[in-house]
Amino acid sequence: MQNLKNAITLLRIPFSLFLMPIYWFSLSNTPVYNWPDALLIFLVLHLFLYPTSNGYNSYYDKDEGSIGGLKKPPKVTQELYYLVLLFDVLSVMLAFCVSMPFAVLIFIALMISKAYSYDKIRIKKYPILGTATVTVFQGSYTYLMIQIGLGMEMQQLFATNNLLLALFSTLFLCGSYPITQIYQHEEDSKRGDITLSYLLGIWGTFAFCVISFTLALALLSYVYLQTQQLQRLLVFVLFTMPIFAYLLYWMRKVKTDLRFADFEHTMTMSKISSVAFNLAFIIISYV
């Protein structure tokens, strides 16, 4: 029972909170949908797809140090592998209840997440390819996948502004994903995983994230202003301010001592960002 409990812990289900903004953002840009499908898509992503990806990654990483959402991860056992397979099956089965295209896209996402972590492929060990895989598939791909699941018409789905918003999702993750690797440089390098954050270094990671967030904000501003959605833009800017305030505060601390680029500050940054962005996109849905 303890092994099963540890396996469930390594799925890091609460960590799905950090990826939830993409769901609300996609929903806010879907003109018509029904709530039962929207709820089912939410469950597929946040209770099954993301956790099974986390679990599979932990199975091959076998982390001894802190990982996202867990300061002291438990020991990996074979139960975790079987639990991941169960969640894979449940992900696709529940996705079929939404639609066949959505189920196919979920299956593809599962395979990509496996290739990211699987030791014989291990996309994760390549800094550029690994980052691109995560930010595209958890960003633009997921954004459009949700809309397909909600039944958006192809003409609306592939409209220029909607594709630009999908691109925003990827830039948005480019601004947050490398930060989550900033305290893992030593452990990642021991496994031979040269992450983008490791490649850039601590200050390079901060600079990359600031530039990515700035580009994301510029792109979102362009779309919202072009479509006369100034209220949405103001809501987003308002909720983004605490994130940049904490980032500047954190960078000043790291300037005095590099040891502040640690797990605790990374998780605080992630929590502030996820809460702020989730609230922003939920409110935007009703503006």
Side-chain angles (χ1 to χ4, degrees):
M1 284 299 295
Q2 185 60 44
N3 285 348
L4 179 59
K5 182 179 178 181
N6 289 344
I8 293 172
T9 299
L10 287 169
L11 294 178
R12 291 181 282 155
I13 294 176
F15 194 70
S16 295
L17 173 69
F18 301 141
L19 295 171
M20 203 179 291
I22 300 298
Y23 171 83
W24 295 116
F25 183 60
S26 182
L27 214 65
S28 72
N29 295 298
T30 307
V32 180
Y33 58 87
N34 64 74
W35 276 106
D37 281 346
L39 177 59
L40 194 51
I41 290 171
F42 179 91
L43 296 176
V44 169
L45 292 177
H46 301 96
L47 290 185
F48 294 99
L49 176 63
Y50 296 148
T52 192
S53 298
N54 293 336
Y56 194 79
N57 189 58
S58 290
Y59 181 78
Y60 279 99
D61 282 6
K62 294 178 173 58
D63 296 285
E64 296 179 357
S66 302
I67 55 177
L70 292 176
K71 187 172 184 178
K72 295 181 179 180
K75 185 178 179 180
V76 171
T77 62
Q78 197 62 28
E79 282 82 357
L80 176 60
Y81 183 78
Y82 297 128
L83 190 61
V84 164
L85 292 181
L86 175 62
F87 270 54
D88 285 346
V89 173
L90 291 174
S91 297
V92 177
M93 287 178 63
L94 286 174
F96 266 114
C97 296
V98 177
S99 70
M100 174 79 76
F102 182 68
V104 171
L105 292 171
I106 286 292
F107 178 78
I108 293 172
L110 286 169
M111 293 303 101
I112 294 297
S113 73
K114 299 294 184 287
Y116 180 79
S117 304
Y118 181 52
D119 58 358
K120 299 297 189 295
I121 302 174
R122 197 72 174 172
I123 295 174
K124 184 178 182 178
K125 68 182 179 181
Y126 304 106
I128 307 301
L129 182 59
T131 301
T133 299
V134 171
T135 58
V136 170
F137 276 87
Q138 292 184 354
S140 300
Y141 182 89
T142 299
Y143 173 89
L144 295 172
M145 177 174 67
I146 292 167
Q147 292 182 329
I148 289 171
L150 293 171
M152 180 182 277
E153 295 180 2
M154 290 297 107
Q155 185 178 359
Q156 293 176 310
L157 186 75
F158 293 109
T160 301
N161 282 338
N162 196 52
L163 292 178
L164 289 176
L165 293 174
L167 176 59
F168 162 82
S169 301
T170 289
L171 289 173
F172 165 76
L173 284 180
C174 281
S176 56
Y177 176 65
I179 282 284
T180 65
Q181 303 169 326
I182 204 166
Y183 64 92
Q184 293 180 303
H185 292 177
E186 183 177 349
E187 187 160 355
D188 284 334
S189 63
K190 285 180 181 178
R191 286 194 300 264
D193 295 335
I194 307 302
T195 62
L196 181 64
S197 181
Y198 180 86
L199 186 68
L200 294 172
I202 291 174
W203 287 107
T205 300
F206 280 130
F208 181 84
C209 291
V210 170
I211 292 170
S212 296
F213 272 134
T214 302
L215 290 174
L217 178 58
L219 181 59
L220 190 68
S221 300
Y222 169 77
V223 175
Y224 279 166
L225 291 174
Q226 186 188 51
T227 54
Q228 298 182 338
Q229 299 183 84
L230 181 58
Q231 285 180 306
R232 288 189 166 199
L233 179 58
L234 292 176
V235 169
F236 181 79
V237 170
L238 177 65
F239 279 89
T240 301
M241 290 172 66
I243 300 169
F244 277 104
Y246 183 81
L247 181 60
L248 291 173
Y249 160 77
W250 184 19
M251 290 171 67
R252 289 182 66 182
K253 292 195 71 173
V254 172
K255 188 175 181 179
T256 63
D257 191 338
L258 291 177
R259 287 177 295 181
F260 284 118
D262 56 12
F263 173 81
E264 284 77 11
H265 286 85
T266 302
M267 287 301 100
T268 300
M269 178 71 194
S270 296
K271 289 173 184 176
I272 292 172
S273 299
S274 60
V275 170
F277 284 130
N278 278 320
L279 288 174
F281 294 136
I282 289 172
I283 293 172
I284 282 173
S285 299
Y286 295 96
V287 172

